Amino acid sequence: MGMGYPSDLTDEQWASIGDLFEARTTMGRPFVHERRLIVNAILYQSRTGCQWRYLPSEFPPRSTVHECFTRWRDDGTWDAVHQRLQDLARAQSGHDPGPGAAVLDAQSVPNAGPAEEVGYDAGKKIRGRKRHIIVDSLGLLIGVLVTSAYISDIAGGHKLLRKVRLTNSMLGIVRCDSGYQGLDKRASRLRLKIEIVKNPSRHSFIPVRDRWIVERSLAWFSAQRRLGKRDLEHTVINAETWVKVASIAMMLNRLHPKPGTPQAVTWAPHP
């Protein structure tokens, strides 16, 4: 199957994840549309940020694409795909499957329209939502939580740590900036150690290795226009799912680069 758009999956990329999307319906009926075309449509949306009704006609009907996006969100398919690719990416870089250290940060973005859980971040002067993410030492997404921008970094970070702790038993150290002062007491109940990494200068921006890893990941996700300068989703669960889809697209393009496309980003931590 040839690539119609730059976001389309190559044969090698599809071979690495296709079986996770190919489960038959409960009644055993054959699929009307190829799962690969539907995944391509979702990756196209992630990359371009287009609305559902503006999907090109080459893709299956928008109702079908939306239904599959929602079903795979609810039945854990996106999570299974993400976990497989994360394990492959860590193995490719010589790391164990379970990360022992991680980096936590949050990003406030304005919402694009009426939506649930919207609030005002007085520090950033932004009305919208806050994306809390935690990544490993390679910048790979471990977990994401989307909340109202009113929620503090500490409250959102604690909730996210409780969430990722359920599936990451090897995690022991979480690094974050000074905005998370006070999180250590809550994290200790989860058997996690918080390390505050401070900026050596108060008057200028200096990249700090352990903090730059997560900031770099946020920049990678922002390259997907669905996660651009605004939160386009009505529900927080969809907002979280699009972060996972962006992470999946990123890992696929690093594990299996497309022909003629330079691999501009490596898995190595920032020097």
Side-chain angles (χ1 to χ4, degrees), residues 9-56:
L9 297 172
T10 64
D11 292 341
E12 188 178 19
Q13 290 174 339
W14 178 246
S16 67
I17 61 173
D19 61 297
L20 297 175
F21 293 101
E22 292 289 359
R24 286 288 184 256
T25 62
T26 55
M27 298 299 293
R29 296 189 298 271
F31 295 129
V32 176
H33 301 282
E34 290 187 45
R35 305 293 93 173
R36 181 172 174 178
L37 284 176
I38 296 174
V39 174
N40 281 344
I42 293 170
L43 294 178
Y44 176 89
Q45 275 192 290
S46 177
R47 185 64 183 179
T48 65
C50 78
Q51 298 177 357
W52 291 101
R53 65 177 177 272
Y54 285 106
L55 272 176

Side-chain angles (χ1 to χ4, degrees), residues 6 23 66 129 236 263:
H66 184 273
R129 286 183 176 149
V236 294
Q263 190 172 358

Side-chain angles (χ1 to χ4, degrees), residues 91-102:
Q92 185 187 72
S93 300
H95 289 70
D96 294 331

Side-chain angles (χ1 to χ4, degrees), residues 238-257:
N238 274 356
E240 292 172 357
T241 303
W242 281 112
V243 174
K244 296 174 186 177
V245 171
S247 181
I248 287 169
M250 179 188 74
M251 289 190 288
L252 281 170
N253 289 333
R254 301 300 176 259
L255 287 166
H256 309 291

